[in-house]
Amino acid sequence: MSVENFTMLGAADIASAVRAGDASPTEMVRASFNRARDIGAGHDELNIFLHSDQEASEHEAKSMQERLQSAADIGILAGVPVAVKDNIATLGLPTTCGSKILAGYVSPYEATAITRLRANGALVVAKTNMDEFAMGSSTENSAFGPTRNPHDVRCVPGGSSGGSAAAVAAGITPIALGSETGGSVRQPAAFCGVVGVKPTYGRVSRYGLVAFASSLDQIGVVGRTVDDAALGLESIAGFDKMDSTSSDAEVPVYRLSALGKPAPEVGAPDTEAMRIGRNPVALPPPPSAKTLEGIVIGKPREYFPDTLDTNIKDLCERALDRFRSMGATVRDISLPRSPLAIPVYYILAPAEASSNLARFDGVRYGLRVDSGKGLKAMYESTRSQGFGPEVTRRILLGTYVLSAGYYDAYYKKAQAVRTLIADDFRAVFTSGVNAIFTPTTPTPAFPVGAISDPYEMYLNDIFTVTANLAGVPAISVPIGRMRRLPVGGQVITAHFDEYTMFRVAYALEASLGQEAHQ
Ligand code: GLN
C-alpha cells in the first residue's frame, strides 16, 4: 500500500494495511497532516482545525507501533487518523467548543468515545471547528472564524460539526467525530458530500461531550463512505457506566464485511475537481436486484412539501427508484406532527442549554473577566464577553420559556408535542415500514454570510431535527449534486435499528456509485 494513495483509502483499508504491517501508524499520521497542509486546512484558508499538534500525534503513532510489535491486536481502526469536534473532551489538545469562554481550556479527562477510538487503534490528529457550543447550522457562529466548504470555498460547510465534515470531505481523515442535537452531523455531511450518522439516543456514551441539550445530544460520526461511518460508530458505541443514559443494548457489527461484501474503493477527493463539481469517489460493487428485497421504505409526505426545491425532489425520486430496483417497496406515509418540530426544538433545546451553560461562570472554567466589582459583576462580564450572540440569544430564549409565567405555555406544551412527534415515528415503524427516506436539507450549501436572520437559519434543520426529538437513528448519504454542490438524502430507522439504516444506506451508495457525486 502506498501513502501516495492516502486520500483514496477508506478506514478499513488503512486498518488492514497497518495490521498487516504494510503501512505504519506514523506514515498515516504524516499523510494526514500533509494533506491538511496541501489542501489549506489552516486558519486563513479553509479553517477546519482549531487545534492540532503533529508532534504529539506522531508520538501517539509511535506507541501504537510498539503495541503492534508486541503482537497486540490494536483493533478495527488501527492507524486510522481521526478528527474530533471541539466539544468532545480530549487529553492533550484543548476543548473549546468554538467559544471564547473556553479559549485554551484543556480537559483533565477524556471522553469515553475518544478512549474507545484510541483503544481501537485510531489516532486523533485534530480538534475541528464548530458553531459555538454546537449552536448553528453553518459553523459561522464559531468564535474563531467560519470554516469553508472544500467543494466551494465561498460556501459554508454546514454546522455545527462543519469542521469535521470538511476534514473528511477534504481527504484529511476518513472518519471524524461530530455531535448532534438537531442535525449537526447530518446537515454538514450533506453540504460537504460525505456520510453523516446520528445514532439512537443512548447508543454512544456522552461522557466527555460538553452538554448542549441533554435530552437530545448524541455523538455522531462523519465518514467518506457508509463503511467508514459504520466502522467509526461500531468502535464507539455501547454501554458506559460513566453515562447513565447510555444503553446496554448489544452493538451489532455494522461494517460492509458483515454483509459479505468487500468495502468500496474510495477515489481521491481532489479539491480542484471539487470546486468545479467533479469529485471522484466511491465506486462500490453493484448491488444485486434483490439487495433490499423485503424492505419497506416509507416516503413521508410532510418531508416532500410543494415548496421543496425541484432539483432536490428529483434527486430524492432517483434514490427512491433505486430502492425499488433493488427490490424494496416504497410506501407513502405520513408523520403528521413533523412540521411542528422546529418550534418544539427551538423551545426545548434553548431551555436545556440555558441550564447546561450556567456552569460557565468564570470560576470553574476558562475565561474570567474580573474588574474587581464583586462576584455578580464578574459573572456578568465573563458571560457577556465570553459568549457570542447566538449563544446569548439561546440562553435568553431558554430562560424565558422556563420562567414561571411562561413554562406551561411554552416548555410544557413543547414537551407534549415532542411526545406526539415520537409517537408518529413509532406508529410508522410498527406498521411494517423498515426505513424512512427524506431529503437531509431543503437546500445545498449556501454562501458564507448569506443568512443573517436566525429564524431562516433554524429552518435548515426542518428535516433533521425530528430524529433527535424522537431519539431514532438517521444517516445522510450523498445522492447527487445541484448547482455543482452536494445534496444529501436521509435514511431513518427505528430505535436501535442502526443495522437496517446502514444496510439501506450501503445499498443506495452502491447503486448510485459515481452518480452520487455528479
Ligand atoms: N442547527 C441546530 C441548532 O442550531 C442543531 C445543532 C446541533 O445539532 N448541535 O441548534
Side-chain angles (χ1 to χ4, degrees), residues 391-413:
V391 175
T392 306
R393 180 179 300 115
R394 304 274 180 118
I395 293 173
L396 290 172
L397 198 62
T399 313
Y400 179 79
V401 298
L402 287 175
S403 61
Y406 296 100
Y407 184 93
D408 284 355
Y410 295 111
Y411 184 75
K412 215 168 146 202
K413 198 181 273 176

mmCIF file with all atom_site columns, all heavy atoms in Angstrom, residues 391-413:
data_model
loop_
_atom_site.group_PDB
_atom_site.id
_atom_site.type_symbol
_atom_site.label_atom_id
_atom_site.label_alt_id
_atom_site.label_comp_id
_atom_site.label_asym_id
_atom_site.label_entity_id
_atom_site.label_seq_id
_atom_site.pdbx_PDB_ins_code
_atom_site.Cartn_x
_atom_site.Cartn_y
_atom_site.Cartn_z
_atom_site.occupancy
_atom_site.B_iso_or_equiv
_atom_site.pdbx_formal_charge
_atom_site.auth_seq_id
_atom_site.auth_comp_id
_atom_site.auth_asym_id
_atom_site.auth_atom_id
_atom_site.pdbx_PDB_model_num
ATOM 1   N N   . VAL A 1 391 ? -25.269 32.208 21.125 1.00 0.00 ? 391 VAL A N   1
ATOM 2   C CA  . VAL A 1 391 ? -25.344 31.517 22.415 1.00 0.00 ? 391 VAL A CA  1
ATOM 3   C C   . VAL A 1 391 ? -26.119 32.387 23.400 1.00 0.00 ? 391 VAL A C   1
ATOM 4   O O   . VAL A 1 391 ? -26.978 31.895 24.143 1.00 0.00 ? 391 VAL A O   1
ATOM 5   C CB  . VAL A 1 391 ? -23.930 31.168 22.927 1.00 0.00 ? 391 VAL A CB  1
ATOM 6   C CG1 . VAL A 1 391 ? -23.991 30.561 24.327 1.00 0.00 ? 391 VAL A CG1 1
ATOM 7   C CG2 . VAL A 1 391 ? -23.240 30.208 21.963 1.00 0.00 ? 391 VAL A CG2 1
ATOM 8   N N   . THR A 1 392 ? -25.859 33.681 23.372 1.00 0.00 ? 392 THR A N   1
ATOM 9   C CA  . THR A 1 392 ? -26.590 34.598 24.256 1.00 0.00 ? 392 THR A CA  1
ATOM 10  C C   . THR A 1 392 ? -28.085 34.550 23.943 1.00 0.00 ? 392 THR A C   1
ATOM 11  O O   . THR A 1 392 ? -28.922 34.481 24.847 1.00 0.00 ? 392 THR A O   1
ATOM 12  C CB  . THR A 1 392 ? -26.046 36.036 24.046 1.00 0.00 ? 392 THR A CB  1
ATOM 13  O OG1 . THR A 1 392 ? -24.636 35.985 24.241 1.00 0.00 ? 392 THR A OG1 1
ATOM 14  C CG2 . THR A 1 392 ? -26.656 37.016 25.018 1.00 0.00 ? 392 THR A CG2 1
ATOM 15  N N   . ARG A 1 393 ? -28.416 34.559 22.645 1.00 0.00 ? 393 ARG A N   1
ATOM 16  C CA  . ARG A 1 393 ? -29.836 34.511 22.256 1.00 0.00 ? 393 ARG A CA  1
ATOM 17  C C   . ARG A 1 393 ? -30.497 33.248 22.804 1.00 0.00 ? 393 ARG A C   1
ATOM 18  O O   . ARG A 1 393 ? -31.592 33.281 23.342 1.00 0.00 ? 393 ARG A O   1
ATOM 19  C CB  . ARG A 1 393 ? -29.941 34.557 20.730 1.00 0.00 ? 393 ARG A CB  1
ATOM 20  C CG  . ARG A 1 393 ? -31.368 34.519 20.211 1.00 0.00 ? 393 ARG A CG  1
ATOM 21  C CD  . ARG A 1 393 ? -31.451 34.599 18.693 1.00 0.00 ? 393 ARG A CD  1
ATOM 22  N NE  . ARG A 1 393 ? -30.864 35.820 18.191 1.00 0.00 ? 393 ARG A NE  1
ATOM 23  C CZ  . ARG A 1 393 ? -29.781 35.902 17.426 1.00 0.00 ? 393 ARG A CZ  1
ATOM 24  N NH1 . ARG A 1 393 ? -29.171 34.795 17.026 1.00 0.00 ? 393 ARG A NH1 1
ATOM 25  N NH2 . ARG A 1 393 ? -29.304 37.046 17.026 1.00 0.00 ? 393 ARG A NH2 1
ATOM 26  N N   . ARG A 1 394 ? -29.810 32.111 22.670 1.00 0.00 ? 394 ARG A N   1
ATOM 27  C CA  . ARG A 1 394 ? -30.388 30.845 23.136 1.00 0.00 ? 394 ARG A CA  1
ATOM 28  C C   . ARG A 1 394 ? -30.576 30.850 24.658 1.00 0.00 ? 394 ARG A C   1
ATOM 29  O O   . ARG A 1 394 ? -31.553 30.335 25.170 1.00 0.00 ? 394 ARG A O   1
ATOM 30  C CB  . ARG A 1 394 ? -29.491 29.668 22.756 1.00 0.00 ? 394 ARG A CB  1
ATOM 31  C CG  . ARG A 1 394 ? -29.176 29.554 21.282 1.00 0.00 ? 394 ARG A CG  1
ATOM 32  C CD  . ARG A 1 394 ? -30.224 28.804 20.500 1.00 0.00 ? 394 ARG A CD  1
ATOM 33  N NE  . ARG A 1 394 ? -29.806 28.758 19.111 1.00 0.00 ? 394 ARG A NE  1
ATOM 34  C CZ  . ARG A 1 394 ? -29.554 27.626 18.447 1.00 0.00 ? 394 ARG A CZ  1
ATOM 35  N NH1 . ARG A 1 394 ? -29.689 26.464 19.042 1.00 0.00 ? 394 ARG A NH1 1
ATOM 36  N NH2 . ARG A 1 394 ? -29.190 27.672 17.188 1.00 0.00 ? 394 ARG A NH2 1
ATOM 37  N N   . ILE A 1 395 ? -29.603 31.408 25.375 1.00 0.00 ? 395 ILE A N   1
ATOM 38  C CA  . ILE A 1 395 ? -29.719 31.429 26.837 1.00 0.00 ? 395 ILE A CA  1
ATOM 39  C C   . ILE A 1 395 ? -30.910 32.304 27.240 1.00 0.00 ? 395 ILE A C   1
ATOM 40  O O   . ILE A 1 395 ? -31.716 31.927 28.096 1.00 0.00 ? 395 ILE A O   1
ATOM 41  C CB  . ILE A 1 395 ? -28.406 31.917 27.499 1.00 0.00 ? 395 ILE A CB  1
ATOM 42  C CG1 . ILE A 1 395 ? -27.291 30.886 27.264 1.00 0.00 ? 395 ILE A CG1 1
ATOM 43  C CG2 . ILE A 1 395 ? -28.594 32.150 29.006 1.00 0.00 ? 395 ILE A CG2 1
ATOM 44  C CD1 . ILE A 1 395 ? -25.899 31.322 27.711 1.00 0.00 ? 395 ILE A CD1 1
ATOM 45  N N   . LEU A 1 396 ? -31.061 33.436 26.555 1.00 0.00 ? 396 LEU A N   1
ATOM 46  C CA  . LEU A 1 396 ? -32.189 34.325 26.862 1.00 0.00 ? 396 LEU A CA  1
ATOM 47  C C   . LEU A 1 396 ? -33.520 33.634 26.560 1.00 0.00 ? 396 LEU A C   1
ATOM 48  O O   . LEU A 1 396 ? -34.448 33.636 27.370 1.00 0.00 ? 396 LEU A O   1
ATOM 49  C CB  . LEU A 1 396 ? -32.074 35.632 26.074 1.00 0.00 ? 396 LEU A CB  1
ATOM 50  C CG  . LEU A 1 396 ? -30.937 36.574 26.509 1.00 0.00 ? 396 LEU A CG  1
ATOM 51  C CD1 . LEU A 1 396 ? -30.788 37.733 25.532 1.00 0.00 ? 396 LEU A CD1 1
ATOM 52  C CD2 . LEU A 1 396 ? -31.185 37.104 27.919 1.00 0.00 ? 396 LEU A CD2 1
ATOM 53  N N   . LEU A 1 397 ? -33.572 33.022 25.378 1.00 0.00 ? 397 LEU A N   1
ATOM 54  C CA  . LEU A 1 397 ? -34.787 32.322 24.955 1.00 0.00 ? 397 LEU A CA  1
ATOM 55  C C   . LEU A 1 397 ? -35.121 31.194 25.924 1.00 0.00 ? 397 LEU A C   1
ATOM 56  O O   . LEU A 1 397 ? -36.274 31.023 26.352 1.00 0.00 ? 397 LEU A O   1
ATOM 57  C CB  . LEU A 1 397 ? -34.508 31.752 23.554 1.00 0.00 ? 397 LEU A CB  1
ATOM 58  C CG  . LEU A 1 397 ? -35.633 31.342 22.660 1.00 0.00 ? 397 LEU A CG  1
ATOM 59  C CD1 . LEU A 1 397 ? -36.507 32.548 22.341 1.00 0.00 ? 397 LEU A CD1 1
ATOM 60  C CD2 . LEU A 1 397 ? -35.061 30.782 21.345 1.00 0.00 ? 397 LEU A CD2 1
ATOM 61  N N   . GLY A 1 398 ? -34.114 30.426 26.286 1.00 0.00 ? 398 GLY A N   1
ATOM 62  C CA  . GLY A 1 398 ? -34.303 29.280 27.185 1.00 0.00 ? 398 GLY A CA  1
ATOM 63  C C   . GLY A 1 398 ? -34.751 29.701 28.568 1.00 0.00 ? 398 GLY A C   1
ATOM 64  O O   . GLY A 1 398 ? -35.616 29.061 29.181 1.00 0.00 ? 398 GLY A O   1
ATOM 65  N N   . THR A 1 399 ? -34.165 30.772 29.046 1.00 0.00 ? 399 THR A N   1
ATOM 66  C CA  . THR A 1 399 ? -34.529 31.251 30.375 1.00 0.00 ? 399 THR A CA  1
ATOM 67  C C   . THR A 1 399 ? -35.978 31.745 30.365 1.00 0.00 ? 399 THR A C   1
ATOM 68  O O   . THR A 1 399 ? -36.744 31.510 31.292 1.00 0.00 ? 399 THR A O   1
ATOM 69  C CB  . THR A 1 399 ? -33.575 32.395 30.797 1.00 0.00 ? 399 THR A CB  1
ATOM 70  O OG1 . THR A 1 399 ? -32.242 31.978 30.510 1.00 0.00 ? 399 THR A OG1 1
ATOM 71  C CG2 . THR A 1 399 ? -33.677 32.701 32.272 1.00 0.00 ? 399 THR A CG2 1
ATOM 72  N N   . TYR A 1 400 ? -36.336 32.395 29.265 1.00 0.00 ? 400 TYR A N   1
ATOM 73  C CA  . TYR A 1 400 ? -37.693 32.938 29.107 1.00 0.00 ? 400 TYR A CA  1
ATOM 74  C C   . TYR A 1 400 ? -38.734 31.817 29.112 1.00 0.00 ? 400 TYR A C   1
ATOM 75  O O   . TYR A 1 400 ? -39.709 31.865 29.857 1.00 0.00 ? 400 TYR A O   1
ATOM 76  C CB  . TYR A 1 400 ? -37.737 33.736 27.802 1.00 0.00 ? 400 TYR A CB  1
ATOM 77  C CG  . TYR A 1 400 ? -39.068 34.338 27.473 1.00 0.00 ? 400 TYR A CG  1
ATOM 78  C CD1 . TYR A 1 400 ? -39.486 35.506 28.095 1.00 0.00 ? 400 TYR A CD1 1
ATOM 79  C CD2 . TYR A 1 400 ? -39.899 33.750 26.531 1.00 0.00 ? 400 TYR A CD2 1
ATOM 80  C CE1 . TYR A 1 400 ? -40.716 36.073 27.783 1.00 0.00 ? 400 TYR A CE1 1
ATOM 81  C CE2 . TYR A 1 400 ? -41.119 34.301 26.206 1.00 0.00 ? 400 TYR A CE2 1
ATOM 82  C CZ  . TYR A 1 400 ? -41.526 35.466 26.829 1.00 0.00 ? 400 TYR A CZ  1
ATOM 83  O OH  . TYR A 1 400 ? -42.729 36.012 26.522 1.00 0.00 ? 400 TYR A OH  1
ATOM 84  N N   . VAL A 1 401 ? -38.516 30.764 28.282 1.00 0.00 ? 401 VAL A N   1
ATOM 85  C CA  . VAL A 1 401 ? -39.548 29.722 28.194 1.00 0.00 ? 401 VAL A CA  1
ATOM 86  C C   . VAL A 1 401 ? -39.643 28.877 29.467 1.00 0.00 ? 401 VAL A C   1
ATOM 87  O O   . VAL A 1 401 ? -40.628 28.175 29.673 1.00 0.00 ? 401 VAL A O   1
ATOM 88  C CB  . VAL A 1 401 ? -39.367 28.775 26.967 1.00 0.00 ? 401 VAL A CB  1
ATOM 89  C CG1 . VAL A 1 401 ? -39.478 29.561 25.677 1.00 0.00 ? 401 VAL A CG1 1
ATOM 90  C CG2 . VAL A 1 401 ? -38.068 28.000 27.024 1.00 0.00 ? 401 VAL A CG2 1
ATOM 91  N N   . LEU A 1 402 ? -38.635 28.963 30.317 1.00 0.00 ? 402 LEU A N   1
ATOM 92  C CA  . LEU A 1 402 ? -38.683 28.221 31.577 1.00 0.00 ? 402 LEU A CA  1
ATOM 93  C C   . LEU A 1 402 ? -39.200 29.085 32.735 1.00 0.00 ? 402 LEU A C   1
ATOM 94  O O   . LEU A 1 402 ? -39.404 28.583 33.832 1.00 0.00 ? 402 LEU A O   1
ATOM 95  C CB  . LEU A 1 402 ? -37.287 27.698 31.942 1.00 0.00 ? 402 LEU A CB  1
ATOM 96  C CG  . LEU A 1 402 ? -36.746 26.529 31.108 1.00 0.00 ? 402 LEU A CG  1
ATOM 97  C CD1 . LEU A 1 402 ? -35.308 26.220 31.525 1.00 0.00 ? 402 LEU A CD1 1
ATOM 98  C CD2 . LEU A 1 402 ? -37.609 25.282 31.279 1.00 0.00 ? 402 LEU A CD2 1
ATOM 99  N N   . SER A 1 403 ? -39.378 30.379 32.466 1.00 0.00 ? 403 SER A N   1
ATOM 100 C CA  . SER A 1 403 ? -39.734 31.268 33.574 1.00 0.00 ? 403 SER A CA  1
ATOM 101 C C   . SER A 1 403 ? -41.170 30.989 34.031 1.00 0.00 ? 403 SER A C   1
ATOM 102 O O   . SER A 1 403 ? -42.012 30.510 33.258 1.00 0.00 ? 403 SER A O   1
ATOM 103 C CB  . SER A 1 403 ? -39.557 32.733 33.162 1.00 0.00 ? 403 SER A CB  1
ATOM 104 O OG  . SER A 1 403 ? -40.412 33.010 32.078 1.00 0.00 ? 403 SER A OG  1
ATOM 105 N N   . ALA A 1 404 ? -41.452 31.299 35.300 1.00 0.00 ? 404 ALA A N   1
ATOM 106 C CA  . ALA A 1 404 ? -42.716 30.901 35.937 1.00 0.00 ? 404 ALA A CA  1
ATOM 107 C C   . ALA A 1 404 ? -43.949 31.185 35.080 1.00 0.00 ? 404 ALA A C   1
ATOM 108 O O   . ALA A 1 404 ? -44.765 30.306 34.838 1.00 0.00 ? 404 ALA A O   1
ATOM 109 C CB  . ALA A 1 404 ? -42.833 31.587 37.290 1.00 0.00 ? 404 ALA A CB  1
ATOM 110 N N   . GLY A 1 405 ? -44.039 32.377 34.525 1.00 0.00 ? 405 GLY A N   1
ATOM 111 C CA  . GLY A 1 405 ? -45.245 32.741 33.800 1.00 0.00 ? 405 GLY A CA  1
ATOM 112 C C   . GLY A 1 405 ? -45.387 32.075 32.438 1.00 0.00 ? 405 GLY A C   1
ATOM 113 O O   . GLY A 1 405 ? -46.476 32.058 31.862 1.00 0.00 ? 405 GLY A O   1
ATOM 114 N N   . TYR A 1 406 ? -44.310 31.536 31.875 1.00 0.00 ? 406 TYR A N   1
ATOM 115 C CA  . TYR A 1 406 ? -44.364 31.023 30.504 1.00 0.00 ? 406 TYR A CA  1
ATOM 116 C C   . TYR A 1 406 ? -44.103 29.520 30.394 1.00 0.00 ? 406 TYR A C   1
ATOM 117 O O   . TYR A 1 406 ? -44.222 28.942 29.323 1.00 0.00 ? 406 TYR A O   1
ATOM 118 C CB  . TYR A 1 406 ? -43.364 31.800 29.625 1.00 0.00 ? 406 TYR A CB  1
ATOM 119 C CG  . TYR A 1 406 ? -43.733 33.245 29.523 1.00 0.00 ? 406 TYR A CG  1
ATOM 120 C CD1 . TYR A 1 406 ? -43.090 34.209 30.307 1.00 0.00 ? 406 TYR A CD1 1
ATOM 121 C CD2 . TYR A 1 406 ? -44.767 33.656 28.685 1.00 0.00 ? 406 TYR A CD2 1
ATOM 122 C CE1 . TYR A 1 406 ? -43.457 35.540 30.235 1.00 0.00 ? 406 TYR A CE1 1
ATOM 123 C CE2 . TYR A 1 406 ? -45.143 34.979 28.613 1.00 0.00 ? 406 TYR A CE2 1
ATOM 124 C CZ  . TYR A 1 406 ? -44.492 35.917 29.386 1.00 0.00 ? 406 TYR A CZ  1
ATOM 125 O OH  . TYR A 1 406 ? -44.864 37.219 29.320 1.00 0.00 ? 406 TYR A OH  1
ATOM 126 N N   . TYR A 1 407 ? -43.729 28.910 31.499 1.00 0.00 ? 407 TYR A N   1
ATOM 127 C CA  . TYR A 1 407 ? -43.388 27.486 31.499 1.00 0.00 ? 407 TYR A CA  1
ATOM 128 C C   . TYR A 1 407 ? -44.485 26.624 30.871 1.00 0.00 ? 407 TYR A C   1
ATOM 129 O O   . TYR A 1 407 ? -44.237 25.832 29.959 1.00 0.00 ? 407 TYR A O   1
ATOM 130 C CB  . TYR A 1 407 ? -43.097 27.052 32.948 1.00 0.00 ? 407 TYR A CB  1
ATOM 131 C CG  . TYR A 1 407 ? -42.646 25.638 33.101 1.00 0.00 ? 407 TYR A CG  1
ATOM 132 C CD1 . TYR A 1 407 ? -41.288 25.326 33.119 1.00 0.00 ? 407 TYR A CD1 1
ATOM 133 C CD2 . TYR A 1 407 ? -43.572 24.607 33.240 1.00 0.00 ? 407 TYR A CD2 1
ATOM 134 C CE1 . TYR A 1 407 ? -40.869 24.019 33.269 1.00 0.00 ? 407 TYR A CE1 1
ATOM 135 C CE2 . TYR A 1 407 ? -43.163 23.292 33.385 1.00 0.00 ? 407 TYR A CE2 1
ATOM 136 C CZ  . TYR A 1 407 ? -41.814 23.006 33.403 1.00 0.00 ? 407 TYR A CZ  1
ATOM 137 O OH  . TYR A 1 407 ? -41.404 21.713 33.545 1.00 0.00 ? 407 TYR A OH  1
ATOM 138 N N   . ASP A 1 408 ? -45.715 26.794 31.339 1.00 0.00 ? 408 ASP A N   1
ATOM 139 C CA  . ASP A 1 408 ? -46.820 25.974 30.829 1.00 0.00 ? 408 ASP A CA  1
ATOM 140 C C   . ASP A 1 408 ? -47.116 26.263 29.360 1.00 0.00 ? 408 ASP A C   1
ATOM 141 O O   . ASP A 1 408 ? -47.358 25.358 28.571 1.00 0.00 ? 408 ASP A O   1
ATOM 142 C CB  . ASP A 1 408 ? -48.100 26.220 31.642 1.00 0.00 ? 408 ASP A CB  1
ATOM 143 C CG  . ASP A 1 408 ? -48.027 25.523 32.995 1.00 0.00 ? 408 ASP A CG  1
ATOM 144 O OD1 . ASP A 1 408 ? -47.032 24.797 33.231 1.00 0.00 ? 408 ASP A OD1 1
ATOM 145 O OD2 . ASP A 1 408 ? -48.946 25.721 33.813 1.00 0.00 ? 408 ASP A OD2 1
ATOM 146 N N   . ALA A 1 409 ? -47.067 27.562 29.016 1.00 0.00 ? 409 ALA A N   1
ATOM 147 C CA  . ALA A 1 409 ? -47.434 27.959 27.657 1.00 0.00 ? 409 ALA A CA  1
ATOM 148 C C   . ALA A 1 409 ? -46.401 27.482 26.632 1.00 0.00 ? 409 ALA A C   1
ATOM 149 O O   . ALA A 1 409 ? -46.765 27.149 25.501 1.00 0.00 ? 409 ALA A O   1
ATOM 150 C CB  . ALA A 1 409 ? -47.580 29.474 27.582 1.00 0.00 ? 409 ALA A CB  1
ATOM 151 N N   . TYR A 1 410 ? -45.134 27.474 26.994 1.00 0.00 ? 410 TYR A N   1
ATOM 152 C CA  . TYR A 1 410 ? -44.105 27.110 26.018 1.00 0.00 ? 410 TYR A CA  1
ATOM 153 C C   . TYR A 1 410 ? -43.449 25.759 26.311 1.00 0.00 ? 410 TYR A C   1
ATOM 154 O O   . TYR A 1 410 ? -43.592 24.816 25.547 1.00 0.00 ? 410 TYR A O   1
ATOM 155 C CB  . TYR A 1 410 ? -43.035 28.206 25.937 1.00 0.00 ? 410 TYR A CB  1
ATOM 156 C CG  . TYR A 1 410 ? -43.560 29.499 25.406 1.00 0.00 ? 410 TYR A CG  1
ATOM 157 C CD1 . TYR A 1 410 ? -43.676 30.616 26.223 1.00 0.00 ? 410 TYR A CD1 1
ATOM 158 C CD2 . TYR A 1 410 ? -43.958 29.611 24.080 1.00 0.00 ? 410 TYR A CD2 1
ATOM 159 C CE1 . TYR A 1 410 ? -44.171 31.815 25.742 1.00 0.00 ? 410 TYR A CE1 1
ATOM 160 C CE2 . TYR A 1 410 ? -44.459 30.803 23.584 1.00 0.00 ? 410 TYR A CE2 1
ATOM 161 C CZ  . TYR A 1 410 ? -44.559 31.900 24.418 1.00 0.00 ? 410 TYR A CZ  1
ATOM 162 O OH  . TYR A 1 410 ? -45.052 33.073 23.923 1.00 0.00 ? 410 TYR A OH  1
ATOM 163 N N   . TYR A 1 411 ? -42.743 25.695 27.420 1.00 0.00 ? 411 TYR A N   1
ATOM 164 C CA  . TYR A 1 411 ? -41.941 24.495 27.673 1.00 0.00 ? 411 TYR A CA  1
ATOM 165 C C   . TYR A 1 411 ? -42.802 23.240 27.777 1.00 0.00 ? 411 TYR A C   1
ATOM 166 O O   . TYR A 1 411 ? -42.546 22.248 27.103 1.00 0.00 ? 411 TYR A O   1
ATOM 167 C CB  . TYR A 1 411 ? -41.089 24.687 28.944 1.00 0.00 ? 411 TYR A CB  1
ATOM 168 C CG  . TYR A 1 411 ? -40.165 23.530 29.206 1.00 0.00 ? 411 TYR A CG  1
ATOM 169 C CD1 . TYR A 1 411 ? -39.001 23.354 28.453 1.00 0.00 ? 411 TYR A CD1 1
ATOM 170 C CD2 . TYR A 1 411 ? -40.471 22.580 30.178 1.00 0.00 ? 411 TYR A CD2 1
ATOM 171 C CE1 . TYR A 1 411 ? -38.165 22.279 28.665 1.00 0.00 ? 411 TYR A CE1 1
ATOM 172 C CE2 . TYR A 1 411 ? -39.646 21.500 30.402 1.00 0.00 ? 411 TYR A CE2 1
ATOM 173 C CZ  . TYR A 1 411 ? -38.487 21.351 29.644 1.00 0.00 ? 411 TYR A CZ  1
ATOM 174 O OH  . TYR A 1 411 ? -37.659 20.281 29.864 1.00 0.00 ? 411 TYR A OH  1
ATOM 175 N N   . LYS A 1 412 ? -43.836 23.320 28.601 1.00 0.00 ? 412 LYS A N   1
ATOM 176 C CA  . LYS A 1 412 ? -44.673 22.136 28.825 1.00 0.00 ? 412 LYS A CA  1
ATOM 177 C C   . LYS A 1 412 ? -45.385 21.709 27.543 1.00 0.00 ? 412 LYS A C   1
ATOM 178 O O   . LYS A 1 412 ? -45.464 20.527 27.212 1.00 0.00 ? 412 LYS A O   1
ATOM 179 C CB  . LYS A 1 412 ? -45.691 22.442 29.926 1.00 0.00 ? 412 LYS A CB  1
ATOM 180 C CG  . LYS A 1 412 ? -45.977 21.243 30.778 1.00 0.00 ? 412 LYS A CG  1
ATOM 181 C CD  . LYS A 1 412 ? -46.742 21.630 32.012 1.00 0.00 ? 412 LYS A CD  1
ATOM 182 C CE  . LYS A 1 412 ? -47.692 20.496 32.377 1.00 0.00 ? 412 LYS A CE  1
ATOM 183 N NZ  . LYS A 1 412 ? -48.793 20.984 33.196 1.00 0.00 ? 412 LYS A NZ  1
ATOM 184 N N   . LYS A 1 413 ? -45.869 22.699 26.809 1.00 0.00 ? 413 LYS A N   1
ATOM 185 C CA  . LYS A 1 413 ? -46.565 22.388 25.564 1.00 0.00 ? 413 LYS A CA  1
ATOM 186 C C   . LYS A 1 413 ? -45.592 21.748 24.554 1.00 0.00 ? 413 LYS A C   1
ATOM 187 O O   . LYS A 1 413 ? -45.915 20.769 23.878 1.00 0.00 ? 413 LYS A O   1
ATOM 188 C CB  . LYS A 1 413 ? -47.182 23.669 24.974 1.00 0.00 ? 413 LYS A CB  1
ATOM 189 C CG  . LYS A 1 413 ? -48.264 23.380 23.963 1.00 0.00 ? 413 LYS A CG  1
ATOM 190 C CD  . LYS A 1 413 ? -48.844 24.642 23.367 1.00 0.00 ? 413 LYS A CD  1
ATOM 191 C CE  . LYS A 1 413 ? -49.978 25.206 24.203 1.00 0.00 ? 413 LYS A CE  1
ATOM 192 N NZ  . LYS A 1 413 ? -50.472 26.481 23.649 1.00 0.00 ? 413 LYS A NZ  1
#
